[in-house]
Amino acid sequence: IFYAFEMGASYYSMLMDKVFNIGESTNQEGIYEFFESSSSIVNYILLFVCVVILAPIIEEFEFRELVFKTFPGCHYLIPVFVSGILFGLLHMQEFSLHELAYFPIYMLPGIGLALVYHITGNNFYASAICHSIVNLIAFIQIIQMYNM
């Protein structure tokens, strides 16, 4: 289920780039700038720890644990969509039309992670591991892009 939402976000990103040629989200551009300006292995290790380990743990706690506990007794789709929307908003660096165009790229995986959390019986570890894997894949792709 999560994979389907992640693929949907990827296809949406490609469509936005091909049809509207709007470039990358500000969030993604910031990551690229870090790789372009940094050559220290220590910086790469710190970024890996932040992106692949800490961010998924913190974000899954905020957007899955807390959101689902905020809506006890509600139909599960309410916290799923609230969680996805908040996740998408967090990844917007500014409120502009450019960033709004990329909102679904972050919202859809947020909904997918919320569904993983719900389907696994509100298992924080399941959604955190999925989140870490996606961030790890993105991290590896960026490293390959910069031939490191």
Side-chain angles (χ1 to χ4, degrees), residues 96-108:
S96 65
L97 285 176
H98 179 261
E99 288 297 293
L100 190 58
Y102 280 96
F103 174 73
I105 293 171
Y106 297 107
M107 183 191 71
L108 289 174

Side-chain angles (χ1 to χ4, degrees), residues 20-136:
F20 299 108
N21 195 27
I22 62 173
E24 296 287 346
S25 70
T26 306
N27 185 51
Q28 198 65 31
E29 286 175 357
I31 294 169
Y32 293 155
E33 286 174 16
F34 173 85
F35 276 95
E36 290 170 356
S37 66
S38 179
S39 61
S40 168
I41 190 72
V42 173
N43 287 345
Y44 298 137
I45 292 170
L46 288 174
L47 185 65
F48 174 86
V49 169
C50 289
V51 169
V52 178
I53 299 170
L54 295 178
I57 291 170
I58 292 166
E59 291 176 1
E60 290 309 305
F61 177 74
E62 291 175 341
F63 299 113
R64 265 42 89 188
E65 283 282 311
L66 294 180
V67 169
F68 273 76
K69 288 181 180 175
T70 302
F71 296 96
C74 291
H75 190 276
Y76 77 93
L77 289 178
I78 292 173
V80 163
F81 282 103
V82 168
S83 175
I85 290 167
L86 291 174
F87 189 77
L89 290 172
L90 169 86
H91 288 87
M92 290 176 63
Q93 302 296 314
E94 58 190 47
F95 289 99
S96 65
L97 285 176
H98 179 261
E99 288 297 293
L100 190 58
Y102 280 96
F103 174 73
I105 293 171
Y106 297 107
M107 183 191 71
L108 289 174
I111 290 172
L113 288 166
L115 287 171
V116 167
Y117 180 82
H118 171 73
I119 290 169
T120 59
N122 296 349
N123 187 331
F124 166 81
Y125 298 106
S127 60
I129 288 169
C130 285
H131 194 155
S132 290
I133 290 169
V134 168
N135 285 9
L136 174 64

